[in-house]
Amino acid sequence: MGLTEFDLDTIPQYAILSHTWGPQEVSFQEMQTFIMTGQPPSEGHLGFEKIKRCCDLARYQQYSYLWIDTCCIDKKSSAELSEAINSMYSWYAKSAICYAYLTDYTGGTRKFGLEQTFENSRWFRRGWTLQELLAPDRLLFYDRDWRFLGNKHDLVTQISAASGIEERYIKDRGLVYKASIATRMSWACKRQTARPEDEGYCLMGLFRVHMPLLYGEGRNAFLRLQYEIARHSNDESLFAWHTSDPQSGIFATSPLNFARSGDFAPRTTPDLDRAPYTITNRGLAVDAEFRILPFRYLKPPVGCQFTSRALSYTYILLPLHCARKGSQDRPFTIILQSEYRHFFQTFVRLLPEEDHVYEKYFSLAGKPQRRVIYIQRYMDLRGDVEKRYSHQWLSPAVFGNDRKASDSTCTSRAGSVICSELQGDSPVDGDLSKLVITRQRPALPLSLYAHSNQRTLKTLAEPQETARTAQGELSHYCESVQSLARRPRAINPSSDCGLGWKRKQQLKISDRLEIPTAICTEVPGRNHGLNLRKVRAGW
């Protein structure tokens, strides 16, 4: 037993081992020590015993060389480690035979009273073994006692059930690269790695990309993997993923986001045409056709509701050039939100949990427009509730399953009052000194328009300023509203000359709250008309 190094053009036929790492694995330095001294690391060393049994199997099948990742890579050399990981997929693909050793499975036995099944082996849940399953042409499975279980063609049904990969990709490795990016990502969604960086590194060969290793960067490695894929592929299923965060970037933060994306495929419609997208310092630049979605049609995620700040943003629908299999006429569509309340600024992805955006919103959106938009690359909000609502356009729902307290009030962390809806859809007539607000549905935008001699009465909610309003100032402005109520001409919602009632500005009122109408400023106008410039809810 010894170590031999070959040039790429002189590599002989070799066997290769696929396994999951455990305790007492033999390193490159320990193997060199054994070769020099002729003594194993210790009696009953599990790692050395695995190497010895595998070498005996390869020698029995007439292979002179065997490659094992634990003892054939000098991990103290960053250059050698980077070369090995970037070349790993091709090394497994070029091997004459690959042995898959399942250390936690013994065929036909019971352990702790539970039957150990082939599909439950830890080998099917590790990140690195995904490429080791798909790359080799000949893959043989052995149990813990090195008993032969079968090759991957014989066990294709069990392997498919354990890995979530369709049988055709397991049988024919040439079809792997023909699968969509989302499909390949979904194969890794349930696999785990010892280090977060390996979530990206173990998938490089699966997408034919290469990048330097930077251990210590954490999950940024998976983001860099997606950047490289975007530079080399126009398959937009790369962006067809889901997460429970209300906001996100255009790139996923983990393979787990692709758990529901296994059946996506690029659309085959011949009229699709899109300029290449590029990654810039402002985000992903996309020259795309999109539609503006009016805010009134947007629905908040379950357990949340919009605040008044949500009205300050622009919302658009961006159809991707991919769709689920069998639904090529319904492209996967994402909702984008302007990040800084300006249409030409960077957008973020909104409500990425939504799966049927096209069916729900596309018919409600405006006419198609085309221009270059910038989409933020990523937002890592996982596990941080404060970050999750720091944007202040969305607040957690405060109305639980118990709705018996109708007079309860609550405010979001931004200080604004929880949204409600006017009772009924009819305008408020007569006395405007008080508005009775009741909760029908949370988070419904509301605007009041009335006309008097071509003058407009606007009500705008500014809940943050309301909190700072003094009681004396409130009384003064309430008297102004009451005087307005005695002028019937000032409020005429049914007038033919007016625009009527429109829902434009969001009013934040608590659960059934009786309040003075507004804090207003009265400005005399032509023909004794009134123009209420600002109205702020107060109580």
Side-chain angles (χ1 to χ4, degrees), residues 11 71 90 127 131 170 206 344 401 411 425 475-476 487 510:
I11 298 177
C71 60
S90 62
Q131 62 181 0
I170 299 173
L206 204 60
F344 298 99
N401 296 328
T411 58
D425 291 329
S475 301
H476 168 72
R487 301 185 185 186
S510 63

Side-chain angles (χ1 to χ4, degrees), residues 474-485:
L474 174 63
S475 301
H476 168 72
Y477 286 117
C478 286
E479 292 176 0
S480 299
V481 175
Q482 291 175 359
S483 64
L484 173 64

Side-chain angles (χ1 to χ4, degrees), residues 79 106 168 184 221 224 229 241 267 389 401 465 481 507:
T106 303
R168 58 193 179 113
R184 280 177 274 175
R224 286 202 297 127
I229 295 173
W241 48 269
R267 294 184 68 198
Y389 299 106
N401 296 328
E465 295 184 16
V481 175
L507 182 62

Side-chain angles (χ1 to χ4, degrees), residues 161-235:
S163 62
I165 304 174
E166 294 183 41
E167 294 185 7
R168 58 193 179 113
Y169 298 116
I170 299 173
K171 292 179 180 179
D172 187 357
R173 62 178 179 176
L175 297 177
V176 170
Y177 291 123
K178 295 182 180 181
S180 69
I181 291 176
T183 298
R184 280 177 274 175
M185 284 288 189
S186 69
W187 297 342
C189 68
K190 296 181 179 179
R191 293 179 177 262
Q192 302 171 352
T193 56
R195 302 190 63 167
E197 295 88 350
D198 290 337
E199 282 187 352
Y201 299 157
C202 71
L203 299 177
M204 289 192 296
L206 204 60
F207 297 98
R208 288 179 173 174
V209 298
H210 302 279
M211 58 186 190
L213 306 188
L214 299 172
Y215 277 103
E217 65 176 331
R219 297 187 183 275
N220 191 59
F222 185 68
L223 293 170
R224 286 202 297 127
L225 172 71
Q226 295 173 87
Y227 300 163
E228 292 297 324
I229 295 173
R231 291 189 180 100
H232 295 85
S233 174
N234 61 355
D235 184 356

